[in-house]
Amino acid sequence: MAGAGDGHCLMAVVARSEKFRGLFVASLRILGVAVIYYAGTRIGTLEGVVRVEGAAVSPLWPPTGIALTCLFLMGPGIWPGITLGVLFHLLTLDPLSAVSPGVMAGCTLAPLCSYLLLRRVGFRIELDRPRDGLALVFLGALAGMLISATVGTSMLVLHGRLPVGFWPTWLAWWAGDAMGVLLVTPFLLVVCRIRRPLRLDRWVEGTAVVVAAAIITPLAVRMSLTLVFLFFPVLIWAALRFQLAGSAPYALFVSVMTVLETTEREGAFAHHTLTERLISLQVLNGSVALTSLLVAAVVTEQRNVRVKIEQACEALAEVVERLAPAEMARLRPPEREGESG
């Protein structure tokens, strides 16, 4: 009886230690997400990126892409990390006020709703199907980020802290959050899947893509002429040859360059109003992201189909090879007695 009691006590201690271990790991994940989210806010608030005629919103907001990626990689249980990251960011701006809880709620609910919508339609983080790219654009970015933009801008209006009109601020907020999902999430998902180095010939072509991007992209966005379409051939080249591993980083690079030029009022966007610049930037970055996702997904899907066909042919060849001797023996006419003599 004493041995049985000791066994039960030992099992209880083990179960309790496992529970504490699980809580400790979950707490570390939440804290890690908060730190990464906060680091993304520091990137998003760099000088030249955040200033849109006094409005404290960014045309490209990386934390939303970071939050959605963390939700897919670690599950919805890390949502408190998103809230903590928003809190850390707000503390660096101004003392907390009545606006802060609403902003924190909106910034947490937006990626959570995007995550749930994408899971609902069977989204795959490999982004190897065109439907995944379309879902990320229309459900993950454009639909889900309506929450953070609407809640955040409404809170600023209610407390009289809106530096410009409602719609310019709302549009900048929505565009920044949506672009964070469209451009940062695919990039991070690609980075998380990097496993092996490229072959030498692929390095040569990859270097050529990088050189072309470094030359053409600044030229396209800084010229006063409307030459922004020049980088689309490079984007398609990267997507066709390297799929999402090539197109996602380049799409992010294009977006950063266009955001910098737009906020500095240079290049093709120099003579437009705030609203016109925001709309143009949203349409351009959305087109870049959609082209990147769809072309890469189509190529990846075709490659996967080809691999499956090759595997099926190999399996069929093995079956035929195993059956051939038996079939030949069955079809061979029997030898008659005495025929050999």
Side-chain angles (χ1 to χ4, degrees), residues 32-54:
V33 170
V35 171
I36 297 171
Y37 188 99
Y38 175 71
T41 65
R42 304 308 299 167
I43 297 173
T45 53
L46 290 175
E47 187 72 16
V49 176
V50 70
R51 292 189 305 171
V52 186
E53 292 190 3

Side-chain angles (χ1 to χ4, degrees), residues 16-27:
R16 192 178 299 111
S17 63
E18 287 294 325
K19 180 179 179 181
F20 282 125
R21 180 177 177 275
L23 290 174
F24 179 72
V25 172
S27 300

